[in-house]
Amino acid sequence: MLTVRKSNERGHADHGWLDSHHTFSFANYHDPEHMGYRSLRVINEDRVAEGRGFGAHAHRDMEILSYVLKGKLAHKDSMGHVEVLGPNEIQKMSAGSGVVHSEFNGSETDPVHFLQIWIEPKSRGTKPSYEQLKFEAEEKLDRFKLLASPVPAAGAATINQDTSVSVAELTPGKQLTYPLGSKRHAWLHVIHGEVTVNGKALKTGDAVAVDHEESLEVSAQGKANSEILLFDLA
């Protein structure tokens, strides 16, 4: 069973310095029909103006992933990490028992465009942790590149939940198969481009919830590359 979530149905907030689309209820956007999916709680597509950002604020008991699409995202936290994140990197912060961090546009001249993802953890009160991993663009080209996993895996962040996150960039006409299994669930988000998922047509910003499907057949449509983010969930 596939349930489509269209891009234009998402919540939207424009604060001038921040333009954000919310896949699930977040901040002032509340939709009881879209509070999250399985352990996936937040997918925010954020565009932050040059020199601006989110000041120091606290999190706890949440697995937080950031994936930059364009530009630079600067990060600072109470664990002592001061980093800059760019495209083809995954950043994971396990907030656990509590952490304070800030996120700013790492450029004074160009905006930053990124996805922030929150996943509810399987256990609470754990020790906070941070990972930032860079990969080559070719690693996601016409194949799934693992970004985060519940068990340690080379080139992927480790998260405190039975969820894995993968990215793929498909060239026109390319088809990928993902073996899901009928007892697992998936959420697929189209970062950009046009794809079909088990026959369902999706475009930039669209997503689909997948239940009771043995596998996913993802086919690129259109004349340009398409990029997708796939969550494999318990």
CSV table of all heavy atoms in Angstrom, one decimal, residues 82-112:
chain,number,residue,atom,x,y,z
A,82,VAL,N,32.6,22.0,16.6
A,82,VAL,CA,32.5,23.2,15.7
A,82,VAL,C,32.8,22.8,14.3
A,82,VAL,O,33.9,22.5,14.0
A,82,VAL,CB,33.4,24.3,16.2
A,82,VAL,CG1,33.2,25.6,15.3
A,82,VAL,CG2,33.2,24.7,17.7
A,83,GLU,N,31.8,22.6,13.5
A,83,GLU,CA,31.9,22.0,12.2
A,83,GLU,C,31.2,22.8,11.1
A,83,GLU,O,30.3,23.6,11.4
A,83,GLU,CB,31.4,20.6,12.2
A,83,GLU,CG,32.0,19.7,13.3
A,83,GLU,CD,33.4,19.3,13.0
A,83,GLU,OE1,33.9,19.5,11.9
A,83,GLU,OE2,34.0,18.7,14.0
A,84,VAL,N,31.5,22.5,9.8
A,84,VAL,CA,30.8,23.0,8.7
A,84,VAL,C,30.4,21.8,7.8
A,84,VAL,O,31.2,21.0,7.5
A,84,VAL,CB,31.6,24.0,7.9
A,84,VAL,CG1,30.8,24.5,6.6
A,84,VAL,CG2,31.9,25.2,8.7
A,85,LEU,N,29.1,21.8,7.4
A,85,LEU,CA,28.6,20.7,6.7
A,85,LEU,C,28.3,21.1,5.3
A,85,LEU,O,27.7,22.2,5.1
A,85,LEU,CB,27.3,20.1,7.3
A,85,LEU,CG,26.6,18.9,6.7
A,85,LEU,CD1,27.4,17.7,7.0
A,85,LEU,CD2,25.2,18.8,7.3
A,86,GLY,N,28.6,20.3,4.2
A,86,GLY,CA,28.3,20.7,2.9
A,86,GLY,C,27.6,19.5,2.2
A,86,GLY,O,27.3,18.5,2.8
A,87,PRO,N,27.4,19.7,0.9
A,87,PRO,CA,26.7,18.6,0.1
A,87,PRO,C,27.5,17.3,0.2
A,87,PRO,O,28.8,17.3,0.3
A,87,PRO,CB,26.7,19.2,-1.3
A,87,PRO,CG,26.7,20.6,-1.1
A,87,PRO,CD,27.6,20.9,0.0
A,88,ASN,N,26.8,16.2,0.0
A,88,ASN,CA,27.4,14.8,0.1
A,88,ASN,C,28.1,14.6,1.4
A,88,ASN,O,29.2,14.0,1.5
A,88,ASN,CB,28.3,14.6,-1.1
A,88,ASN,CG,27.6,14.7,-2.4
A,88,ASN,OD1,26.5,14.3,-2.6
A,88,ASN,ND2,28.2,15.4,-3.4
A,89,GLU,N,27.5,15.0,2.5
A,89,GLU,CA,27.9,14.7,3.8
A,89,GLU,C,26.6,14.4,4.6
A,89,GLU,O,25.5,14.9,4.3
A,89,GLU,CB,28.6,15.9,4.5
A,89,GLU,CG,30.0,16.1,4.0
A,89,GLU,CD,30.7,17.2,4.8
A,89,GLU,OE1,31.3,16.9,5.8
A,89,GLU,OE2,30.7,18.4,4.3
A,90,ILE,N,26.7,13.6,5.7
A,90,ILE,CA,25.6,13.4,6.6
A,90,ILE,C,26.1,13.7,8.0
A,90,ILE,O,27.2,13.4,8.4
A,90,ILE,CB,25.1,11.9,6.5
A,90,ILE,CG1,23.8,11.7,7.4
A,90,ILE,CG2,26.2,10.9,6.9
A,90,ILE,CD1,22.6,12.5,6.9
A,91,GLN,N,25.3,14.5,8.7
A,91,GLN,CA,25.6,14.9,10.1
A,91,GLN,C,24.5,14.2,11.0
A,91,GLN,O,23.3,14.3,10.7
A,91,GLN,CB,25.5,16.4,10.2
A,91,GLN,CG,25.8,16.9,11.6
A,91,GLN,CD,25.3,18.3,11.8
A,91,GLN,OE1,24.1,18.6,11.9
A,91,GLN,NE2,26.3,19.2,11.8
A,92,LYS,N,25.0,13.6,12.0
A,92,LYS,CA,24.1,13.0,13.0
A,92,LYS,C,24.4,13.5,14.4
A,92,LYS,O,25.5,13.5,14.8
A,92,LYS,CB,24.2,11.5,13.0
A,92,LYS,CG,23.3,10.8,14.0
A,92,LYS,CD,23.9,9.7,14.8
A,92,LYS,CE,25.0,10.2,15.8
A,92,LYS,NZ,25.5,9.0,16.6
A,93,MET,N,23.3,13.9,15.1
A,93,MET,CA,23.5,14.3,16.5
A,93,MET,C,22.4,13.5,17.3
A,93,MET,O,21.2,13.7,17.1
A,93,MET,CB,23.3,15.8,16.7
A,93,MET,CG,23.6,16.3,18.1
A,93,MET,SD,23.5,18.1,18.3
A,93,MET,CE,21.7,18.4,18.0
A,94,SER,N,22.9,12.6,18.1
A,94,SER,CA,22.0,11.9,19.0
A,94,SER,C,21.9,12.8,20.3
A,94,SER,O,22.9,12.9,21.1
A,94,SER,CB,22.6,10.5,19.4
A,94,SER,OG,22.6,9.7,18.2
A,95,ALA,N,20.8,13.4,20.5
A,95,ALA,CA,20.6,14.3,21.6
A,95,ALA,C,20.6,13.6,22.9
A,95,ALA,O,21.1,14.2,23.9
A,95,ALA,CB,19.3,15.2,21.4
A,96,GLY,N,20.0,12.4,23.0
A,96,GLY,CA,20.1,11.7,24.3
A,96,GLY,C,19.6,12.4,25.5
A,96,GLY,O,18.6,13.1,25.5
A,97,SER,N,20.4,12.4,26.5
A,97,SER,CA,20.1,13.1,27.8
A,97,SER,C,20.1,14.6,27.7
A,97,SER,O,19.6,15.2,28.7
A,97,SER,CB,21.0,12.6,28.9
A,97,SER,OG,22.4,12.9,28.5
A,98,GLY,N,20.6,15.2,26.6
A,98,GLY,CA,20.5,16.6,26.4
A,98,GLY,C,21.7,17.2,25.8
A,98,GLY,O,22.8,16.9,26.2
A,99,VAL,N,21.5,18.1,24.8
A,99,VAL,CA,22.6,18.8,24.2
A,99,VAL,C,22.0,20.2,23.7
A,99,VAL,O,20.9,20.3,23.4
A,99,VAL,CB,23.1,18.0,23.0
A,99,VAL,CG1,22.0,17.9,21.9
A,99,VAL,CG2,24.4,18.5,22.4
A,100,VAL,N,22.9,21.1,23.7
A,100,VAL,CA,22.6,22.5,23.2
A,100,VAL,C,23.4,22.7,21.9
A,100,VAL,O,24.6,22.4,21.9
A,100,VAL,CB,22.9,23.5,24.2
A,100,VAL,CG1,22.7,24.9,23.7
A,100,VAL,CG2,22.1,23.3,25.5
A,101,HIS,N,22.8,23.2,20.9
A,101,HIS,CA,23.6,23.4,19.6
A,101,HIS,C,23.0,24.6,18.9
A,101,HIS,O,21.9,25.1,19.2
A,101,HIS,CB,23.6,22.2,18.7
A,101,HIS,CG,22.3,22.0,17.9
A,101,HIS,ND1,22.4,21.7,16.6
A,101,HIS,CD2,21.0,22.1,18.2
A,101,HIS,CE1,21.1,21.6,16.1
A,101,HIS,NE2,20.3,21.8,17.1
A,102,SER,N,23.8,25.1,18.0
A,102,SER,CA,23.3,26.2,17.1
A,102,SER,C,23.7,25.8,15.7
A,102,SER,O,24.6,25.1,15.4
A,102,SER,CB,24.0,27.5,17.4
A,102,SER,OG,25.4,27.4,17.3
A,103,GLU,N,22.9,26.3,14.7
A,103,GLU,CA,23.1,26.0,13.3
A,103,GLU,C,23.0,27.3,12.5
A,103,GLU,O,22.0,28.1,12.7
A,103,GLU,CB,22.1,25.0,12.8
A,103,GLU,CG,22.2,23.6,13.3
A,103,GLU,CD,21.1,22.8,12.7
A,103,GLU,OE1,19.9,23.0,13.1
A,103,GLU,OE2,21.4,21.8,12.0
A,104,PHE,N,24.0,27.7,11.7
A,104,PHE,CA,24.0,28.9,11.0
A,104,PHE,C,24.4,28.6,9.6
A,104,PHE,O,25.1,27.7,9.3
A,104,PHE,CB,24.9,29.9,11.6
A,104,PHE,CG,24.4,30.6,12.8
A,104,PHE,CD1,24.5,30.0,14.1
A,104,PHE,CD2,23.8,31.8,12.7
A,104,PHE,CE1,24.0,30.7,15.2
A,104,PHE,CE2,23.3,32.5,13.8
A,104,PHE,CZ,23.4,31.9,15.1
A,105,ASN,N,24.0,29.5,8.7
A,105,ASN,CA,24.5,29.5,7.3
A,105,ASN,C,26.0,29.7,7.4
A,105,ASN,O,26.4,30.7,8.0
A,105,ASN,CB,23.8,30.6,6.5
A,105,ASN,CG,24.2,30.5,5.0
A,105,ASN,OD1,25.2,30.0,4.6
A,105,ASN,ND2,23.3,31.0,4.2
A,106,GLY,N,26.8,28.8,6.8
A,106,GLY,CA,28.2,29.0,6.9
A,106,GLY,C,28.8,30.0,5.9
A,106,GLY,O,30.0,30.1,5.7
A,107,SER,N,27.9,30.7,5.1
A,107,SER,CA,28.4,31.7,4.1
A,107,SER,C,27.7,33.0,4.4
A,107,SER,O,26.6,33.1,4.8
A,107,SER,CB,28.0,31.2,2.7
A,107,SER,OG,28.2,32.2,1.8
A,108,GLU,N,28.5,34.1,4.1
A,108,GLU,CA,27.9,35.4,4.3
A,108,GLU,C,27.4,35.9,2.9
A,108,GLU,O,26.9,37.1,2.9
A,108,GLU,CB,29.0,36.4,4.8
A,108,GLU,CG,29.5,36.1,6.2
A,108,GLU,CD,28.5,36.4,7.2
A,108,GLU,OE1,27.6,37.3,7.0
A,108,GLU,OE2,28.5,35.8,8.3
A,109,THR,N,27.5,35.1,1.9
A,109,THR,CA,27.1,35.6,0.6
A,109,THR,C,26.1,34.7,-0.1
A,109,THR,O,25.4,35.2,-1.0
A,109,THR,CB,28.3,35.7,-0.4
A,109,THR,OG1,29.0,34.4,-0.4
A,109,THR,CG2,29.3,36.7,0.2
A,110,ASP,N,25.9,33.5,0.3
A,110,ASP,CA,25.0,32.6,-0.4
A,110,ASP,C,24.1,31.9,0.6
A,110,ASP,O,24.5,31.5,1.7
A,110,ASP,CB,25.8,31.5,-1.2
A,110,ASP,CG,26.7,32.1,-2.2
A,110,ASP,OD1,26.2,32.8,-3.1
A,110,ASP,OD2,27.9,31.9,-2.2
A,111,PRO,N,22.8,31.6,0.2
A,111,PRO,CA,21.9,30.9,1.1
A,111,PRO,C,22.4,29.4,1.2
A,111,PRO,O,23.2,28.9,0.4
A,111,PRO,CB,20.6,31.0,0.4
A,111,PRO,CG,20.9,31.2,-1.1
A,111,PRO,CD,22.2,32.0,-1.1
A,112,VAL,N,21.8,28.7,2.2
A,112,VAL,CA,22.0,27.3,2.4
A,112,VAL,C,20.7,26.6,2.3
A,112,VAL,O,19.7,27.1,2.9
A,112,VAL,CB,22.8,26.9,3.7
A,112,VAL,CG1,22.0,27.4,4.9
A,112,VAL,CG2,23.1,25.5,3.8
